[in-house]
């Protein structure tokens, strides 16, 4: 599927416009409440952002890279996403009232 050149730039800028304030908010909450669970959310956000930016870069370069390279990159992005979701779950569990201590 072909896309206009500006689409990937808009995707990247849109992602950063959303993610930067969310990261700042999480850092502010982490400082204010001094709970380590927010650090797990921060890890999730950073890993997710890195994976999304890598995916956007893959959209830009897919015509020039080999199929094997693209497949490996997609697999790595999937692993990054899975790790980011593990951080998200760990953050939820550490901030939930179900955990004592």
């Amino acid at each position: 599927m072909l896309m206009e050149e500006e689409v990937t730039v808009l995707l990247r800028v849109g992602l950063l416009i959303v993610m930067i304030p969310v990261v700042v908010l999480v850092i502010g909450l982490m400082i204010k409440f001094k709970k380590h669970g927010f650090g797990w959310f921060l890890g999730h956000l950073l890993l997710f952002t890195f994976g999304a930016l890598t995916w956007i870069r893959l959209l830009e370069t897919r015509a020039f890279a080999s199929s094997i390279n693209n497949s490996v990159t997609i697999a790595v992005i999937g692993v990054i996403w899975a790790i980011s979701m593990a951080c998200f779950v760990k953050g939820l569990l550490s901030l939930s009232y179900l955990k004592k201590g």
Side-chain angles (χ1 to χ4, degrees):
M1 177 174 86
L2 296 175
M3 294 186 292
E4 297 293 327
E5 289 183 29
E6 301 84 20
V7 171
T8 54
V9 174
L10 290 173
L11 284 171
R12 184 178 291 115
V13 170
L15 176 72
L16 293 176
I17 286 173
V18 171
M19 295 307 280
I20 289 173
V22 173
V23 167
V24 169
L25 175 66
V26 169
I27 291 171
L29 290 171
M30 189 169 43
I31 292 170
K32 181 178 179 180
F33 293 108
K34 295 177 179 41
K35 300 228 180 219
H36 295 290
F38 291 112
W40 290 105
F41 283 112
L42 183 62
H44 161 70
L45 292 171
L46 294 177
L47 287 169
F48 180 82
T49 302
F50 177 74
L53 289 173
T54 305
W55 182 263
I56 294 169
R57 186 174 45 119
L58 181 66
L59 289 175
E60 293 172 330
T61 62
R62 73 185 183 283
F64 305 109
S66 70
S67 173
I68 295 171
N69 188 27
N70 287 343
S71 298
V72 170
T73 303
I74 291 170
V76 169
I77 292 169
V79 170
I80 291 171
W81 173 77
I83 295 169
S84 79
M85 293 309 293
C87 290
F88 181 81
V89 169
K90 176 72 175 168
L92 283 176
L93 292 175
S94 66
L95 292 175
S96 71
Y97 294 107
L98 298 175
K99 183 177 178 184
K100 300 196 184 212

